[in-house]
Amino acid sequence: MTTLNIAATDSATMLRRRLRHFIRYPSMTVQLAGMPVIFLLLFVYVFGGTLGDGIGGMSGGRGEYVNYVAPGVILMAVAAVAQGTAISAAMDMTEGIIARFRTMAISRASVLTGHVLAAMLQTLFSVAIVVGVALLVGFRPNASVVEWIALTGVVAMVTFALTWLTVALGLVSQTVEGASNLPLPLVLLPFLGSGFVPTDSMPTGLRWFAEYQPFTPIIETIRGLLVGTHIGNDAIISAAWCAGIALLGYVWAKKLYNRDPSH
Amino acid sequence: MNNAIAVTGLRKAFGDNVVLDGIDLDVAAGTIFALLGPNGAGKTTTVQILSTLITADGGQMRVAGHDPDREPDAVRDVIGVTGQFSAVDSLLTGEENLILMADLRHLGKAEGRRRAAELLEQFDLVDAAKKTAATYSGGMRRRLDLAMTLVGDPSIIFLDEPTTGLDPRSRRAMWQVIRQLVAGGVTIMLTTQYLEEADHLADRIAVLDHGTIVAEGSSAELKRLVPGGHIRLQFIDPGHFEAAARIFSENSRDDDSLTLQIPSDGDVGSLKALLDRLERESIKVGELSIHTPDLDDVFLNLTGRPHAEQER
Ligand SMILES: Nc1ncnc2c1ncn2[C@@H]1O[C@H](COP(=O)(O)OP(=O)(O)OP(=O)(O)O)[C@@H](O)[C@H]1O
Ligand SMILES: [Mg+2]
């Protein structure tokens, strides 16, 4: 077998291992999907009436607001799984079996790849639930089949990037508590972007941050695919951000995993 | 080159704490080598370095002809490791753990399942095969741990305190497995705190203390390093104790417990002479025991400290 073949086989094995963990303890998966659903309901029913009327060009109140907020909540679901991945990676590293993996001739990073691939499936599950609930509360996307497929691709791309980063965060934090706190900004970023209100309603400093932070172009891309707003450069900017974050996360996570545990 | 493991001048320090201070080891292929030492001697550190888990600070090493620091994957290909602490996936069942190993060893699906079933049988885990390892007792975990190590048939196996925490029956079963493995041509390096275990199993024993090897050899060779055995007499009456102490002038006495230790290699002739003498002098002995030198004596002799044998 070639090195690449071995890497693929071992990563698939590690993915199966993670999926077994999910099946055995489904509460984490359910909880990670539940969090964005609660935010969706909260925003739509508590704030939606007012926000929907206030958003430029809209006048439809709650109904319009569901359409505006769904992309941000989808990204929130991605971020929640990414945060969960930091925690499970940190917990996994305390398991004795990791020491065994290190003494076996397996593709070195495959344990980490297993975490990332499993997180991608977990995200698709979460996003499906979020979209389902959104549809129930009045979300009316006009996406074509191709756009739905593209959306799945975008979600997968973002998850891939963010979870490589959070796997690294999980490895760098010495405790499980640290692993749950470090990625917290990720969950907040959709709020500090165009996820819940348009950025031009924000004060200057915050607006500047909101327009240039990576989640805004990603949200705009998702929004464009779902409800047909203008995407423009946002797709390419999103792809560039994801490539950068994925590379950083991968290199960092691998370096952390490879460090001599005795140092 | 038929040494499975060859080590010279191995050094390792954690900060200022020098844990291995230049140790030399040679393990012939197809033999059992025991690294014997008390808590903190450096046993686990040695195993971790040789099994590519951590790197050494200095020294030459060869495991199956490869340097663990420079060619870790070549070493990993041929070794199996059962560390001191359980290395099972506690969220998976026993069977899933074994199949995970088979997959990572690239055995193929059918062969992996066959091997897993065989090992579950061999390690008496068939009934627990479908239960998660988190629910296993310490002994079951230990057995699963070793079973996982054997998937893929490694030719050199490291066992770090394989029987610590096992009950006597499980310990004997583990010894049996270890002997079978060696009979099949595998090389085993194990660590233990139990002198009895090293004595029973190992072809060669190295005594490790504070990061240096204080003695190395077969169990018989090590026993030869210490003065011969003795006969131990325990008295009930202090007067008889004093009388006996006068007759057998070459003795070590313990006044508190009224015991005398008289040097003897334990042969029947000298034992009979001793009993006759006691008879003639009308000295009554409470209890008599014959003590041939064991590894405990070796340890005491080599390190100047008794070996703190732990409760099992
Ligand atoms: N990762 C580490 N960082 C710092 N010190 C360490 C580390 N690992 C081991 N040590 C120290 O090295 C020394 C030897 O430890 P080691 O685990 O090799 O002993 P051992 O012979 O296996 O003992 P035991 O019988 O208790 O398992 C101890 O003083 C220990 O504190
Ligand atoms: Mg140890």
Side-chain angles (χ1 to χ4, degrees), chain A residues 10 17 21 24 100 102 260, chain B residues 55 87 89 96 106 145:
Chain A
D10 291 348
R17 165 175 182 261
H21 291 172
R24 211 129 287 153
R100 184 184 285 284
R102 287 175 188 279
D260 187 330
Chain B
T55 54
D89 189 325
E96 286 166 351
H106 309 127
D145 222 337

Side-chain angles (χ1 to χ4, degrees), chain B residues 96 102 116 179 188 199 249 285 309:
Chain B
E96 286 166 351
R179 286 204 196 88
I188 290 182
D199 202 357
S249 53
V285 178
E309 183 90 35

Side-chain angles (χ1 to χ4, degrees), chain B residues 52-69:
Chain B
T52 77
L53 205 52
I54 63 177
T55 54
D57 293 342
Q60 264 93 54
M61 303 178 270
R62 284 283 177 276
V63 175
H66 304 284
D67 183 334
D69 278 356

Side-chain angles (χ1 to χ4, degrees), chain A residues 261-263, chain B residues 12-15 17-20 37-48 54 84-85 160-161 191-193 208 310:
Chain A
S262 72
H263 286 302
Chain B
K12 177 76 182 177
F14 293 109
N17 182 11
V18 177
V19 175
L20 297 178
N39 288 141
K43 303 181 298 292
T44 296
T45 305
T46 308
V47 168
Q48 288 182 337
I54 63 177
Q84 183 170 0
F85 304 105
D160 196 357
E161 302 198 17
T191 77
T192 181
Q193 307 183 29
L208 185 63
Q310 297 196 336

